[in-house]
Amino acid sequence: MKIKLTLLALLYFLSSQILAAQIAIVSVPKAVIFSDQTLSTPIGYVSYGKKIKVGEVEKKDGTILPVIVAGRVAYVQIKDLALQNGPDQLGISTPKITEHDVELTFQTDQDKLSENNFFSASIGQAGAGAGWEEYSGEFGEESSTFSVISLQMEHRNPLKDTSWGFGLTYFSASADDLEAKSLAIEANLYYSLFNFRYMSISAFGGLLFSGDFQVIQGGGEQKTNGVLYGYSIGGVARILPYSKLGAFGGISLRKIKVTELEEIETPGGLEVGIDGLSGVNIFAGISYKF
C-alpha cells in the first residue's frame, strides 16, 4: 500500500510540473531534447521557430525546463528558448515533439567533425597603418591599404556556440614604384552572439603567420623578405549560416608584427624599414557547405 501511495505521489508531482505549463518558442536552429537532467543523453530536437509547452519549474540551477515527450518527462535548455509571458492562450498550437535525430545520440567526436563543414572565400580591404604610410611615402607613393583574399575551411555546429576555421590569406599592396605581398596561414575561433534560423552574428579572434613577407621596389631593383605574425579580433554576420550556400560580411582589427625585413634604400639615399602593419579589415564573402 505504501509503495502504491509513493508511486501515485511521484506521478502527481511529475504531472504537476508539466500541467503548470508555459509556451516557449525555439530560438536556435535546433533545441536538443535530453532524457535526463544531466543532459548526457540527447533523444531528439525541435527546430527553430516551433512552439512547445514546457514546465514552469526550473531545474539544474535554473538552466533547464521539463517537457513531455511521448508521455515521459524530458528536458530542454532554457538558453535555447524564448519564453512567452502570461498564461497559455486559447488556439495556440503546440505541436508534439516528433523530430528526432537518433544519430546524434550515438555519434562520436570523430563522426561530428565529418559534418557541419564549410568552405569560405572572401575579399576585403585592410588598413596598413601609419607605419606603412610613412614607409611607402619615402618612395613617393601614397599607399594606406592592402587588398585581402582569404580561403578557409570552417567547422560550424549549429548546436554549439563556438566554431573554428583555418586557411590561407593573401594580401598585397601595389603602387608604381613599390609592391608588398604575402601568403599567410590564418586560424580563427568564433563565438556565437546571436543565432537565428536565417542569420547569425559572431565575435571572433584569430592568429596569422607568414614566413615570406616580400617588399619589392623599382620593379625588382631592390627586394627584401621578412617574417610577419599577429592577431585579429572582430565580428562577422552570416546570412543562411547553415545552408548549402550562404553569405557573410564582417569587420576586424588586425595587429601585425614584421621582423627580419632588411632595410632598403630610398631615392634620397636613406635606408628605411618597417616593423608593423596594423589597421581595420573590412571583408565579405560566400560559404559552401560540403
Side-chain angles (χ1 to χ4, degrees), residues 111-171:
D111 294 330
K112 294 174 185 177
L113 284 175
S114 67
E115 300 179 358
N116 304 306
N117 295 318
F118 299 80
F119 172 78
S120 70
S122 66
I123 58 174
Q125 289 287 318
W132 175 256
E133 290 185 29
E134 294 177 5
Y135 185 77
S136 60
E138 293 290 345
F139 298 91
E141 307 290 353
E142 294 183 359
S143 176
S144 60
T145 61
F146 277 74
S147 297
V148 181
I149 300 174
S150 181
L151 303 175
Q152 287 206 357
M153 195 285 284
E154 299 172 339
H155 181 75
R156 290 188 269 118
N157 189 330
L159 301 179
K160 294 185 177 181
D161 291 330
T162 57
S163 57
W164 50 266
F166 67 92
L168 299 175
T169 297
Y170 177 78
F171 54 94

Side-chain angles (χ1 to χ4, degrees), residues 6-267:
T6 302
L7 290 174
L8 287 173
L10 180 60
L11 289 173
Y12 174 79
F13 173 76
L14 291 175
S15 62
S16 66
Q17 304 300 303
I18 303 301
L19 288 174
Q22 56 186 327
I23 298 298
I25 301 176
V26 176
S27 59
V28 295
K30 292 180 180 180
V32 179
I33 307 300
F34 298 88
S35 65
D36 57 334
Q37 294 189 32
T38 61
L39 308 183
S40 60
T41 309
I43 58 174
Y45 67 88
V46 182
S47 298
Y48 174 85
K50 293 291 183 69
K51 292 182 179 180
I52 59 174
K53 280 186 177 180
V54 295
E56 293 184 347
V57 180
E58 299 173 352
K59 304 288 185 180
K60 198 181 178 185
D61 299 324
T63 60
I64 61 175
L65 285 171
V67 61
I68 291 295
V69 179
R72 297 185 179 183
V73 179
Y75 301 91
V76 61
Q77 296 185 83
I78 295 176
K79 70 180 183 65
D80 294 340
L81 306 174
L83 299 175
Q84 291 191 334
N85 295 325
D88 189 6
Q89 300 176 22
L90 186 64
I92 289 182
S93 175
T94 55
K96 295 180 180 179
I97 301 170
T98 56
E99 300 174 81
H100 296 283
D101 188 354
V102 180
E103 293 181 358
L104 183 65
T105 307
F106 303 101
Q107 278 184 332
T108 64
D109 290 338
Q110 184 176 0
D111 294 330
K112 294 174 185 177
L113 284 175
S114 67
E115 300 179 358
N116 304 306
N117 295 318
F118 299 80
F119 172 78
S120 70
S122 66
I123 58 174
Q125 289 287 318
W132 175 256
E133 290 185 29
E134 294 177 5
Y135 185 77
S136 60
E138 293 290 345
F139 298 91
E141 307 290 353
E142 294 183 359
S143 176
S144 60
T145 61
F146 277 74
S147 297
V148 181
I149 300 174
S150 181
L151 303 175
Q152 287 206 357
M153 195 285 284
E154 299 172 339
H155 181 75
R156 290 188 269 118
N157 189 330
L159 301 179
K160 294 185 177 181
D161 291 330
T162 57
S163 57
W164 50 266
F166 67 92
L168 299 175
T169 297
Y170 177 78
F171 54 94
S172 62
S174 181
D176 292 338
D177 198 46
L178 189 67
E179 179 184 0
K181 58 184 178 180
S182 183
L183 182 64
I185 300 171
E186 187 167 13
N188 294 319
L189 181 65
Y190 301 87
Y191 183 81
S192 178
L193 301 175
F194 303 97
N195 202 348
F196 307 106
R197 186 174 184 179
Y198 299 111
M199 183 178 180
S200 69
I201 299 176
S202 302
F204 72 89
L207 300 173
L208 63 85
F209 172 83
S210 173
D212 187 29
F213 175 59
Q214 301 179 26
V215 176
I216 304 168
Q217 188 271 329
E221 291 181 8
Q222 298 185 87
K223 180 178 179 180
T224 180
N225 295 62
V227 173
L228 63 79
Y229 57 90
Y231 66 88
S232 62
I233 55 173
V236 58
R238 301 182 187 275
I239 299 174
L240 302 177
Y242 305 108
S243 299
K244 194 73 172 178
L245 190 65
F248 62 91
I251 185 171
S252 66
L253 176 64
R254 275 201 170 122
K255 181 75 173 179
I256 298 175
K257 180 72 174 177
V258 179
T259 63
E260 301 181 21
L261 187 72
E262 294 182 358
E263 295 182 341
I264 58 177
E265 187 175 335
T266 68

